[in-house]
Amino acid sequence: MNADPILIQRSHPAGWPRHARARCLCTGGPAGPQAGHVGARWLPLSMLTLLLLAVGFCPSAWAQEENGFRYQVAGNTVAITGYTGSGGDVAIPATLGGRRVTVISDHAFSGKRDLTSISIPDGVTTIGKRAFNDCIGLTGFSLPNSVTKIGERVFRGCVRLTSINLPNGVTTIGWAAFYGCTGLTSISIPNSVTTIELEAFAGCTGLTSVSLPNSVTTIGREAFGGCTGLVHFEVSESNPAYSVHDGVLMAKGGDRLVQYPPGRTGAYVIPNSVTTIGDYAFYSRTGLTNVSLPHSVTTIGDFAFAGCTGLTSVSLPDSVMTIGVYAFSSCIGLTNVRLPNSVTTIPLAAFFGCTGLTSISIPNGVTTIGGSAFSHCTGLTSLTIPNSVRDIQGASFAHCTRLIGLYFEGDAPFSREDTFDGSFLVTFFHRPAADGWGSSYSGRPAAVWLERPKYADWMQSTGLLSQFPGASTEADDPDGDGVSSGDEWFAGTDPTQRSSRLEMEQAIRFADLPESDQTPITPHSHGLHFRSVPGRYYALESAPALGDPWELRDTRLASTTQTRFLVDTPRDNAFFRVVVLP
């Protein structure tokens, strides 16, 4: 028996037409009121919310179950929403409840570890996000030609899949669709596929080769990232978008390097046809030890070499105009970098976390050092900033814990409050005639940059050559103080006076000690006094035992002939030394 329709009358001012009303339809009732139907009931608008909620309980919207498959009905079709069966080899039926199965919903089989194989019937067109995510027992699946897209993370983490044979109907392999399928050794990509989205096969460590058909025209970022067994790509010669050079994936024509095989090790010479190194092209290629860039390269993309932990040095040609953000970040093996004169900006986090970096040459022409550009470069001790630099952005040199000297060729550039956060030991040196400098800069000491004279001029000015003409080389020690003339030239002491040398002093010379170093020493501290040369830069280092590595503890710029370092009393024995800095 058909249920009576419920008609809801809207409130309306007098004079509005009587047909201004809303309908709520339930399965089993007619599509609308029939002429002369006396069973229709008119209800006030205040009940509209309650009645609309009741629609959710119409039989067509109920979740139903049959043979372990949970599903929902939508018209004449069914969407599978879950699975409660025993697992094993599972064949999804073509119909449930007398209706065609067309959709496998998001998460429908996610985490079902007892599935070993899955067969999907013809007629299914949509497989939702994470539908088979983390089905770690799954060893195979069969897809019909009706499926056009392998969606987001559909088979992510299915570690026992060994091979993939996709049907000809598939046009898109979605984001992270097979991410982390570590057992996968081969894939067959049909000629219908046009798009492989980002990270589609990332982390498939068992893959050794990939063959791309001529239909593929879009490959997303890191589509094969982390595939550490993959040593070469193959591409159909008739592909209009991509090509291969020596196993490396390139854009058609070879002007853009798209992806370097993650499993390849050793050095690589980029061919002369390349003008652009694409975003993420070498991302996390940990086996890469050296890369040679030709003078044709003008652009290095975002994250292009990030995470290349085996890379030890980089020399960029003068043709390079643009370096992307995070381009060399976390290259912890990188020790030195040469930047070309053509670069005007060192971008955001370009060398972030390059903990092994000890030397980098910034060319005159760079105007901006981007945020976090050298942040956490803990091996960096000193750096010269050219006079072209006008802006040093936030956290550019943050947490460079061994950075002791930045030498500025020009006026004080604009900086932020956090530019040198965590770099507690750095002192800034500037040219005498430069503008914008004071006794401090960005919260740290600043001083005039006094260049050391040439050795030949120094010999003349100190009287070394005239007093000891036969013992005036850098290796000689004419005054017999145990310090060579070369070391005294570096330290700024007098090579002709035995008493003029860098040494610790027991006695405090109050007349020669700066007022700031005459404050009382607390019971939990020690004062280390040493003979110093005004204008010279010194560091205090410590080690738990002789022969152990020395750790930088503090830096000081001397203003008098005696200077003091204050140190906390160590819990165990410790050794301290004072060294002269450049």
Side-chain angles (χ1 to χ4, degrees):
M1 178 181 294
N2 287 338
D4 289 342
I6 300 173
L7 303 183
I8 304 168
Q9 184 177 18
R10 298 185 182 181
S11 300
H12 53 270
W16 275 37
R18 296 288 295 174
H19 65 266
R21 57 199 180 195
R23 301 174 183 174
C24 175
L25 305 177
C26 283
T27 300
Q34 296 177 0
H37 187 74
V38 296
R41 288 167 286 148
W42 298 89
L43 299 177
L45 186 61
S46 59
M47 296 187 67
L48 177 61
T49 302
L50 177 61
L51 293 171
L52 289 179
L53 287 175
V55 174
F57 294 96
C58 293
S60 64
W62 290 346
Q64 303 178 54
E65 185 171 336
E66 181 180 318
N67 297 328
F69 297 98
R70 290 178 178 170
Y71 64 93
Q72 284 185 332
V73 175
N76 293 321
T77 62
V78 164
I80 294 178
T81 59
Y83 177 71
T84 60
S86 59
D89 297 337
V90 174
I92 296 175
T95 61
L96 287 169
R99 293 174 171 88
R100 290 182 301 110
V101 176
T102 60
V103 176
I104 298 174
S105 300
D106 296 353
H107 304 273
F109 294 83
S110 181
K112 301 298 181 183
R113 301 187 171 195
D114 48 2
L115 285 181
T116 55
S117 71
I118 192 84
S119 176
I120 299 173
D122 195 32
V124 171
T125 58
T126 302
I127 302 177
K129 298 176 183 178
R130 300 176 183 246
F132 300 95
N133 180 70
D134 286 334
C135 291
I136 60 174
L138 193 64
T139 58
F141 61 85
S142 174
L143 299 179
N145 290 333
S146 55
V147 173
T148 59
K149 179 177 180 178
I150 309 296
E152 176 185 324
R153 307 184 188 187
V154 168
F155 294 98
R156 184 184 188 275
C158 295
V159 296
R160 294 188 182 177
L161 278 179
T162 57
S163 63
I164 296 172
N165 189 9
L166 300 177
N168 286 324
V170 173
T171 61
T172 301
I173 301 174
W175 172 31
F178 297 93
Y179 187 106
C181 294
T182 54
L184 199 61
T185 57
S186 67
I187 54 175
S188 176
I189 300 175
N191 206 30
S192 57
V193 172
T194 60
T195 301
I196 300 174
E197 293 184 354
L198 73 158
E199 298 179 343
F201 296 94
C204 295
T205 54
L207 270 183
T208 57
S209 66
V210 171
S211 180
L212 302 174
N214 59 19
S215 58
V216 174
T217 55
T218 301
I219 299 175
R221 185 186 73 221
E222 279 294 275
F224 301 93
C227 297
T228 52
L230 184 60
V231 294
H232 71 278
F233 291 97
E234 296 176 6
V235 177
S236 169
E237 291 185 3
S238 58
N239 188 295
Y242 298 101
S243 62
V244 164
H245 184 281
D246 189 26
V248 178
L249 187 62
M250 304 275 188
K252 194 72 171 181
D255 61 335
R256 181 169 61 92
L257 194 152
V258 178
Q259 287 189 25
Y260 187 76
R264 185 174 292 189
T265 61
Y268 177 62
V269 178
I270 296 176
N272 291 326
S273 62
V274 173
T275 60
T276 299
I277 298 172
D279 296 348
Y280 293 84
F282 291 87
Y283 181 80
S284 222
R285 287 0 183 211
T286 56
L288 184 69
T289 57
N290 182 270
V291 62
S292 177
L293 280 70
H295 287 277
S296 57
V297 173
T298 60
T299 302
I300 297 174
D302 298 343
F303 292 87
F305 294 94
C308 291
T309 55
L311 199 61
T312 57
S313 67
V314 171
S315 180
L316 305 182
D318 288 335
S319 57
V320 173
M321 305 292 290
T322 303
I323 299 174
V325 301
Y326 288 87
F328 295 93
S329 60
S330 300
C331 291
I332 59 175
L334 200 60
T335 58
N336 64 85
V337 174
R338 177 198 172 273
L339 296 177
N341 293 324
S342 49
V343 170
T344 59
T345 298
I346 300 175
L348 174 71
F351 297 95
F352 179 97
C354 292
T355 55
L357 190 63
T358 58
S359 172
I360 184 165
S361 175
I362 299 178
N364 195 18
V366 170
T367 60
T368 302
I369 299 176
S372 300
F374 297 97
S375 180
H376 292 83
C377 289
T378 53
L380 205 58
T381 57
S382 66
L383 191 63
T384 299
I385 307 296
N387 59 20
S388 57
V389 173
R390 294 290 177 264
D391 189 8
I392 302 179
Q393 296 180 353
S396 292
F397 293 93
H399 303 287
C400 295
T401 53
R402 293 190 61 82
L403 184 63
I404 56 178
L406 275 185
Y407 296 83
F408 289 83
E409 294 279 8
D411 298 339
F414 182 74
S415 67
R416 277 66 168 179
E417 186 176 344
D418 63 344
T419 297
F420 299 94
D421 270 6
S423 299
F424 302 113
L425 302 175
V426 65
T427 297
F428 306 106
F429 296 92
H430 60 87
R431 297 296 187 185
D435 292 331
W437 295 99
S439 59
S440 66
Y441 174 74
S442 199
R444 289 294 303 163
V448 174
W449 181 0
L450 299 175
E451 282 197 279
R452 187 177 295 106
K454 294 180 179 179
Y455 186 77
D457 296 334
W458 179 78
M459 284 194 301
Q460 295 280 358
S461 63
T462 57
L464 175 63
L465 188 60
S466 60
Q467 294 183 48
F468 302 98
S472 57
T473 69
E474 292 188 39
D476 292 324
D477 178 20
D479 59 1
D481 60 1
V483 182
S484 69
S485 293
D487 288 342
E488 297 216 47
W489 166 62
F490 187 87
T493 53
D494 190 337
T496 66
Q497 299 294 323
R498 185 181 180 87
S499 60
S500 177
R501 64 177 186 175
L502 176 64
E503 61 181 354
M504 295 291 192
E505 294 186 307
Q506 295 269 347
I508 300 175
R509 294 184 279 116
F510 288 100
D512 299 322
L513 194 65
E515 186 176 343
S516 59
D517 285 348
Q518 296 187 25
T519 56
I521 299 173
T522 67
H524 301 291
S525 300
H526 281 281
L528 302 178
H529 297 80
F530 62 96
R531 189 182 297 274
S532 57
V533 176
R536 291 290 172 175
Y537 192 33
Y538 299 91
L540 176 69
E541 298 180 336
S542 68
L546 292 177
D548 287 345
W550 291 94
E551 180 183 354
L552 187 63
R553 298 285 297 272
D554 200 359
T555 58
R556 287 291 303 275
L557 187 67
S559 59
T560 62
T561 59
Q562 190 178 53
T563 302
R564 180 185 75 181
F565 279 116
L566 277 181
V567 297
D568 294 334
T569 302
R571 294 182 179 179
D572 301 314
N573 292 332
F575 292 85
F576 295 88
R577 72 179 183 183
V578 174
V579 296
V580 185
L581 297 175

